[in-house]
Amino acid sequence: MNYRIKSNLHFIEKIIEEDIKNGLPIEKIKFRFPPEPNGYLHIGHVKSIYLNFQLGIKYQAPVILRFDDTNPIGENEQFIESIKQDITFLGFKWNKVSYASDYFQTLYEWAIKLIQNNQAYVDNQSKKNIKIQRKNSYTIGINSKHRNRSILENINLFQKMKNGFFQEGSCVLRAKINMESPNMNMRDPIMYRILYKKHHRTGNKWCIYPTYDWTHGQCDYIEEISHSLCSLEFENKKPLYNWFLNKIFDKKKIIPKQIEFSRLHVSHSITSKRKINFLIQKNIIRSWSDPRILTISGLRNKGYTSSSLKNFIQKIGITKRNNNIDISFLEFCIRNHLNKIAPRVMVVLSPLKLIIDNYIENKTEWINTQNNPEDLSFGKRKIPFSRYLYIEKNDFSEKNKKNFFRLQIGKKIRLKSAYIIQANFFTKKKNGDIDEIHCTYDPESQYNKKNRTHHKNTMKTLHWVSIKHSIPIKINLYQTLFLKKKPEEDEDFYNYINPKSKNEIIGQAEPSLKQSQIGTHFQFQRIGYFYIVKNNHNNDITANKIVSIKNQWKKKIL
Ligand code: ATP
Ligand code: MG
């Protein structure tokens, strides 16, 4: 098995290799991905998913999809379904689905055990008071006046908490650790709080809910997770994770090992669920799957492929180092993938009429062209050429400019896969816009290998469509939702919304797109990569722009 090759291992793989060397049986290796079902997964989660599931594949170890559903507020079935769908889209398979709520009874019994061992107590103080007494890492905390309640009283109170005798917020169960610990997480953390909220799985069975701290490690332990991988912000929680585990540890089982890696941040985006929710509430985006946000479903709707996302994560690597990645790198990964898989077509986004005066009226030539000049296995198709064409507005310059290499009066250019033309004059509309450009073509210049080499270095090639044969296509042009590189840093993040993040236009496409299937990708030549999101085969086609053909960021100063 090639995983034994030591080179190129990331630091977590090195730890696992070490554990195997020190006697961990390979069949005991097990991972989990533990999302909270209170929102959709985002690009940061892809890192965690990729890490856990790739390790599962590598060590042929099970991976559990465990929903961390300890907070009934904001969690629901819709999020569970979306999370499953997203992981499936990424091409990963979990061995089992579980829920933290499956273990509520066990957690409750263990909590009783902790109370019996004088390791937990019921505190009737308000949350606010508890926080004040905790102080900060420079000042030692103060013990609660309820800290030394008798075991019997604690058991009695905790059972009453469970049985609904007390109001929300009136008391909590706390672990009895150390109010003087330099690690704030160890200052008697809360294990249970009262919430009279219906849970999407357990209904109204419970009115006390365990905290993340009291749940996570215990679930890892129950499920015999060998390596519990989480993001760096949990590093300070590790002593608490281990403290709890030591209280319930049974020597027959393995004790999970928590390992932290850095969180992924991608520029010009936000991923916080709270902030995404805010954008939905304010109607700035339509949903969790809006193509302008970096949720997995948003990226998928926009046209991102799963392999480009996995490739992105693989390239940035798994480390503990700061993981702020520029969005241009994500775009690079999708561009790279689509370059390999997307057939080429011609679409004019902003049409300008061009007339070839010496071309026969009503004649149509069907020109044979490669679907992907870089990969002949894509085959060929026929595109119609005629006297009346559309070219891109910005491919023509009214004034003759020295450094303009596209079309201008008196200059020649090649029409892609077709002829060389020369522009002779143009006419204007009343409003001053250009109406038509009049050209002549060279009948001897039809595109073939010989001509191509001859003009290769000197002549620019433009894309075009034949007006008579072209079909309208609705195109969603997207830009980043934020104009600021790190909008998440700011509570007023919504002030940096890009007003041009979505722009709907109608372009003109070559007729072959009539047959395009929803969910397929194309390169619109010279423009970018696009994704067909609607086609009812009645000239009603919509495509999303995924990414420009070239990196646009070099030019922009945002
Ligand atoms: P958010 O802060 O976006 O709401 P979260 O951390 O609350 O996210 P969870 O559903 O708890 O989201 O995350 C599930 C797993 O994914 C956790 O193990 C978490 O560490 C990991 N994860 C979340 N965000 C990122 C990220 N940006 N980069 C890497 N891993 C992440
Ligand atoms: Mg979380």
Side-chain angles (χ1 to χ4, degrees), residues 43 46 50 54 86-92 296 299-300 303-316 329-342 521:
I43 188 77
V46 182
Y50 182 82
Q54 275 306 121
D86 289 346
I87 298 173
T88 305
F89 163 72
L90 290 173
F92 292 119
I296 300 177
L299 288 161
R300 178 170 66 237
Y304 270 75
T305 59
S306 62
S307 61
S308 68
L309 296 179
K310 290 193 278 191
N311 199 249
F312 169 69
I313 301 295
Q314 197 214 332
K315 285 208 161 77
I316 61 179
F329 188 63
L330 180 64
E331 294 181 350
F332 166 83
C333 291
I334 184 68
R335 191 183 291 118
N336 236 358
H337 186 218
L338 294 181
N339 182 40
K340 291 192 199 97
I341 65 159
H521 298 89

Side-chain angles (χ1 to χ4, degrees), residues 411-427:
K411 294 279 163 61
K412 289 180 177 172
I413 51 99
R414 171 173 290 286
L415 293 175
K416 210 167 190 71
S417 303
Y419 298 97
I420 293 173
I421 55 162
Q422 173 173 317
N424 301 320
F425 66 97
F426 59 85
T427 57

Side-chain angles (χ1 to χ4, degrees), residues 394-397 401-408 411:
N394 63 9
D395 276 339
F396 177 72
S397 170
K401 291 187 209 149
K402 207 166 168 226
N403 288 328
F404 189 83
F405 299 108
R406 288 160 281 165
L407 194 60
Q408 43 190 335
K411 294 279 163 61

Side-chain angles (χ1 to χ4, degrees), residues 31-33 48-56 63 227 229:
F31 305 98
R32 91 287 172 263
F33 173 64
S48 179
I49 293 168
Y50 182 82
L51 172 63
N52 283 293
F53 283 92
Q54 275 306 121
L55 285 170
V63 184
H227 297 85
L229 315 176

Side-chain angles (χ1 to χ4, degrees), residues 13-41:
E13 289 169 322
K14 284 185 188 152
I15 294 173
I16 297 173
E17 290 292 321
E18 227 16 69
D19 289 341
I20 296 171
K21 220 165 71 189
N22 293 333
L24 174 71
I26 291 189
E27 59 281 4
K28 289 271 178 203
I29 298 178
K30 207 180 203 185
F31 305 98
R32 91 287 172 263
F33 173 64
E36 184 180 354
N38 62 347
Y40 280 49
L41 298 179

Side-chain angles (χ1 to χ4, degrees), residues 64 66-67 69 96-110 192 202 206 210 214-215 218-220 222-223:
I64 294 180
R66 184 202 309 140
F67 290 100
D69 56 351
K96 186 183 154 187
V97 174
S98 70
Y99 298 84
S101 56
D102 295 343
Y103 311 121
F104 279 176
Q105 182 63 30
T106 309
L107 288 168
Y108 174 74
E109 286 161 18
W110 279 336
Y192 276 93
T202 58
W206 298 89
W214 169 239
T215 309
Q218 285 43 254
C219 291
D220 285 344
I222 295 168
E223 292 179 344

Side-chain angles (χ1 to χ4, degrees), residues 109-243:
E109 286 161 18
W110 279 336
I112 299 267
K113 188 173 148 184
L114 258 68
I115 298 174
Q116 281 167 342
N117 292 336
N118 199 17
Q119 289 156 340
Y121 62 97
V122 173
D123 195 344
N124 296 74
Q125 299 186 103
S126 65
K127 255 197 172 149
K128 194 174 149 215
N129 244 358
I130 293 176
K131 199 171 167 209
I132 292 169
Q133 289 178 351
R134 273 221 173 93
K135 304 284 182 187
N136 55 48
S137 42
Y138 307 105
T139 323
I140 56 171
I142 300 168
N143 284 349
S144 161
K145 61 181 182 215
H146 302 125
R147 201 173 196 263
N148 288 322
R149 273 186 163 137
S150 73
I151 291 171
L152 211 63
E153 191 184 359
N154 275 320
I155 289 188
N156 192 10
L157 285 172
F158 186 49
Q159 276 168 350
K160 279 190 163 164
M161 267 173 75
K162 176 189 174 248
N163 292 332
F165 281 81
F166 302 129
Q167 280 180 349
E168 253 180 46
S170 62
C171 52
V172 291
L173 184 74
R174 295 177 74 179
K176 196 186 275 191
I177 310 182
N178 179 6
M179 288 303 285
E180 296 181 10
S181 170
N183 183 338
M184 297 297 291
N185 292 303
M186 302 301 270
R187 294 189 184 177
D188 293 9
I190 294 171
M191 294 170 67
Y192 276 93
R193 69 268 199 233
I194 300 172
L195 283 172
Y196 289 98
K197 290 273 159 15
K198 190 173 174 195
H199 186 279
H200 59 100
R201 288 187 64 81
T202 58
N204 290 319
K205 179 165 179 214
W206 298 89
C207 64
I208 51 168
Y209 288 96
T211 55
Y212 173 88
D213 289 342
W214 169 239
T215 309
H216 198 78
Q218 285 43 254
C219 291
D220 285 344
Y221 174 73
I222 295 168
E223 292 179 344
E224 302 191 56
I225 304 302
S226 58
H227 297 85
S228 175
L229 315 176
C230 58
S231 31
L232 267 180
E233 69 273 19
F234 294 100
E235 201 164 28
N236 276 338
K237 293 214 182 235
K238 188 139 85 184
L240 177 58
Y241 181 95
N242 290 330
W243 189 91

Side-chain angles (χ1 to χ4, degrees), residues 249-263:
F249 182 44
D250 161 353
K251 296 212 165 41
K252 289 194 286 290
K253 281 197 168 177
I254 57 169
I255 206 148
K257 187 182 251 183
Q258 177 180 311
I259 309 170
E260 309 86 19
F261 59 92
S262 56
R263 253 175 121 80

